[in-house]
Structure formats: C-alpha cells, structure tokens
Amino acid sequence: MDENKGLSLGALTAAVVTSSIGSGVFTLTSSLAGGAAPGPVLLAWLVVGFGILMLALSLNNLLLKKPDAEGIHAYAQEGFGNFAGFVSGWGYWLSAWLGNVAFATVLMSSLGYFLPMFKGGQNVASVILASVVSWVLTFIVNRGVESAAAVNTIITICKLIPLFAFIVVGIFVFKGGMFTAHFWTNVTSGVAGGSGIWTQFKSCLMIMMWVFVGVEGASMLSSRAKSKNDAGRATIIGIISLLVIYVLASVLPYGYLSQNELAKINQPAMLYIFQDMVGKWGGAFISVGLIIAILGAWLSWTMLPADTTMLMAEEKLLPSYFGKKNKNGAPTFSLVLTAALIQVFLLVLLFSEEAYNFALSLCTAAIVVCYIFVGMYQVKFSAQNKDTKQMWIGIFALAFQVIAITLAGLHFLLLCCIGYIPGLYFYYRAKKEFDIDDGKLTKAEIIYSTLIVIGAIAGVVLVAMGLITI
Ligand SMILES: NC(=[NH2+])NCCC[C@H](N)C(=O)O
C-alpha cells in the first residue's frame, strides 16, 4: 500500500474486511449448523460482532495515542512489563502458524473437489501437498518478498466475488418457511426437543471468533489513515460489513437446506451448497475463490509471525537470532522454525478426528491471549488519562474476550500453554544473552512461568485421559 499520502476511508475499510477473510467464511454454515439453529446463531453474531468491535476500537485508540508501539504485543509490554510482552507476542506467533494449519486442511479439502485423492484433506497425499505449499510460501517470504498492493487488491476481489455470488443466489433460493421451521430448536442434537438455546449459543463462539482473527492487522493500519476520524470510521464500517457478509453467508443456507443437511455437508460447505443451488460449475467457481483466498491469507500469515518474533528480538524478549536477517532482509531462523512446527502439526493432522476445528480452536485461543492484553492495556491507559468513554470500550472488549473463551473452551488455552514451553526457554535465553536482571528470571516471572507449565501439564493429562479429544 502507498505509504506517502495516507490511506483513504475506502482503502482502510477494505483492509479491515480483507484482513479477516480467510477460510472461515467458506466453512461457516456447516460448522455452525452442527450445533445451532438459526435463532441462536443470529444471537451469537450480535454478541460476537459487538465484542470484536470493542476490541478493534480499543486497538484504534491505542494506535492513535501510542503511535510508536510496534506490534500487538507492544501494548502488553508497555502496560504490564517484559514478561507480559513475551506472553502476548508468543501467543500471537502461536496463533499465526496454528491458523495456517487450519488453512492447510481447508485448502486440501477444496482441492479434493477436483482431485479425489485429496478428498477430506486428511490423507497422506494431502499432507504431502500441504507441506510443499507451506515450505514454498516460507521460501518466498525468505526471499524478502513484500506483499504488493496490486496483488492484495486482486486477492481481495477474488475473495469477495464468490461470496457475493453465494449471497445473491442464497437470497433467491431462500424459503422463509424452511428458515423459521426450527428457528430456536437444534434439530441435530439427537436430544428430544434439541439442546437449549444457551448450549447452541456457546457452540457458535469459537468459529465466530475465528472468522474475525486478523482484524487486529487492519487496526494496525490506522496510523496510516489520512485522518484520525477515518481510522475509527473505517473500523466501524469494516466490521459491520464483515458482519453482514458473515451473517448472510452463514444464515441464508438455513432457508435452503435443513439444519441436518447443512451439518452433514462436506467441508468447505459453501462450495457444496452453491453447487447444489446452481449446478456443477458453482462448486468450481467457489473453490477457485477459496483457494486464492487461502493462499493469499496463508502468505500474509507466514510473514506476520516472523515479523513478530523479529520485533520481539529487537525488544530483547527473544534471543537475537530470532531477529537476524538474511541478505534479503528476512528473518530466516524464525521462518524456518515456524515452518518446521507447521510441518509437525500437519503430520499430527493425519491422526486427528476434526483437524480443522481443532486447529482453528487453538489458533483462536492463542490470539485471545493477545486480545486480553489489549483490553487490559486499553482500560489501564484510559483510566490513567481519565478517558471514561475509552475505558468502557476497553472494559467491554476485555470482558468479551474473557467470557467468550471461557464459554468456548478454556481447555484450548491449556493446550496453548504447551506451546509456551519452548517460548519460556527462549525468553530465558534472551535474558541471559542481554543480561537483563543479571540473566535470571525474576520472582514474578518464575511464578507466571510455573503457572504456564502447570497449565501445559494439565493439558497433556487431559488429553492422555481422553477428556480432550484432538
Ligand atoms: N493463519 C491464521 N492465523 N489465520 C487466522 C485467520 C482466520 C480468518 N479469520 C479466517 O476466517 O479464516
């Protein structure tokens, strides 16, 4: 994007929309229909939309008032010290590549639409191809490639066209009677009378938060807005537009197929529903858009984690080799480490029952850690500056994240703790390398690290006991 003139309202709004759209919207309907009827789905959208809006407004505010903070973890560090900065940054990094694992499964299952050998996205052929894609993207980023504005625009258009086509056709084939038949009752649950509204509502949260992962990226662009007002306005318009797209794409199909049919449809659901609506070409049409959307998002989510660990190394939160750039200006160590971990996870996928949901839940849980720190810092900073309105925005943002992750599944946070263990080692190495606090962990850091380790052990134990299914 052009750096000199500042971004217009339209460009900023587009950035908010496009930075969030990855694979999620294409799989939404069936993921939601597995646990909820249209009524609770709409209710959940309202709540999640509000919570995310509060988060984005907090980020906007902080960015404008603290323009020199670089990266989302900077707020945690500024507000609550180095260890908090590390926890937030490492969480962002974990989230970024775990999300790529989820992308891999959707990408492969959409290729399965054309090539049966990839069907389901969870077999040896899929894992091999996904690994190749992951390493190729890493290689490209390692060559120092920056995402070009023109490419971004093309990717955005390719993402949006199939979505609009789906929505328009969805409106035409919509049958009101079908939609309202079981508006509040979950007909897939097997329980007579379905599961209660509350249970249905809860089942929507994780996937709905997942589709908004990435909004923080666009909020980060606020500093490049032509005017401060535009930054705030673009966030609101962008999030409302996203919400409209998500609501329509996920809810219209309830007026076309029954909830049972929707829940059982192959993933990526949008592709198969559209094929059902318009004929064979429909599936191909959606899948091309989907494949481009994922590759584009995957590329930027390859750059982002490496950028984060690079910044963290500059802030002395990680050893200097995380920040060491090759001759193309790319942080090779970070990139290769990340790709290697993705590789391990792709192999795990072979044995996972619900690989996509598992990966997206971990990705979402990990980023919630950063979001919680953003909320906390927004509250702290606004309270210090006696800015009551912003403080309330922060309180809502924070409350939403804490409550939503508690309802969606705290055990995913325990599993994320496992991912923090190597991070703790690197944090400790960094303290030694830069001789911070005489190269030792402080008392508080020891306590927090112990809690993380306990969380990780609890996570492992729960998995071993079969209480958490992978
Ligand atoms: N690689 C990642 N961290 N991806 C997260 C982005 C997910 C995106 N909101 C989606 O709907 O698919």
Side-chain angles (χ1 to χ4, degrees), residues 19-26 92 94-103 207 209-215 246 294 297-298 301-302 304 356 363 367:
S19 65
S20 298
I21 296 181
S23 65
V25 64
F26 297 92
Y92 185 74
L94 278 175
S95 169
W97 64 262
L98 285 165
N100 291 349
V101 176
F103 283 168
I207 179 93
M209 297 208 290
W210 154 254
V211 293
F212 281 107
V213 173
V215 269
Y246 287 158
I294 293 188
W298 195 343
W301 284 107
T302 305
L304 290 168
Y356 177 59
C363 164
I367 208 157

Side-chain angles (χ1 to χ4, degrees), residues 8-257:
S8 67
L9 182 62
L12 276 172
T13 311
V16 175
V17 173
T18 193
S19 65
S20 298
I21 296 181
S23 65
V25 64
F26 297 92
T27 62
L28 258 180
T29 308
S30 136
S31 307
L32 292 172
V41 167
L42 285 170
L43 209 66
W45 276 127
L46 214 65
V47 175
V48 174
F50 174 77
I52 297 292
L53 186 61
M54 295 298 117
L55 170 75
L57 290 177
S58 301
L59 277 165
N60 265 344
N61 173 54
L62 291 176
L63 206 84
L64 296 173
K65 295 195 180 136
K66 295 233 127 225
D68 34 57
E70 256 198 285
I72 194 165
H73 63 283
Y75 302 121
Q77 191 180 4
E78 172 97 24
F80 309 97
N82 279 352
F83 195 74
F86 155 75
V87 171
S88 167
W90 195 258
Y92 185 74
W93 175 82
L94 278 175
S95 169
W97 64 262
L98 285 165
N100 291 349
V101 176
F103 283 168
T105 65
V106 183
L107 182 66
M108 292 309 125
S109 41
S110 25
L111 285 179
Y113 181 78
F114 302 103
L115 307 166
M117 68 195 278
F118 299 118
K119 197 137 201 141
Q122 264 183 273
N123 46 38
V124 177
S126 299
V127 170
I128 293 176
L129 185 61
S131 310
V132 171
V133 174
S134 170
W135 284 104
V136 167
L137 290 174
T138 302
F139 179 75
I140 294 175
V141 175
N142 195 40
R143 295 290 303 268
V145 175
E146 300 261 333
S147 64
V151 177
N152 281 338
T153 313
I154 296 174
I155 293 177
T156 305
I157 295 171
C158 292
K159 277 183 194 180
L160 292 178
I161 289 179
L163 293 182
F164 282 123
F166 181 78
I167 290 171
V168 171
V169 175
I171 293 174
F172 277 106
V173 297
F174 186 82
K175 297 185 280 281
M178 175 144 219
F179 185 70
T180 48
H182 301 283
F183 193 71
W184 295 108
T185 325
N186 177 13
V187 286
T188 64
S189 66
V191 191
S195 46
I197 291 178
W198 179 240
T199 314
Q200 297 185 53
F201 171 84
K202 280 199 297 191
S203 78
C204 299
L205 291 175
M206 196 63 106
I207 179 93
M208 288 186 177
M209 297 208 290
W210 154 254
V211 293
F212 281 107
V213 173
V215 269
E216 73 288 338
S219 312
M220 296 298 194
L221 289 175
S222 313
S223 58
R224 299 193 355 213
K226 262 189 203 137
S227 81
K228 283 188 180 189
N229 282 341
D230 276 0
R233 234 178 283 156
T235 305
I236 299 177
I237 305 174
I239 288 184
I240 292 177
S241 319
L242 266 177
L243 203 58
V244 170
I245 296 175
Y246 287 158
V247 169
L248 290 175
S250 64
V251 168
L252 284 173
Y254 281 98
Y256 177 68
L257 295 173

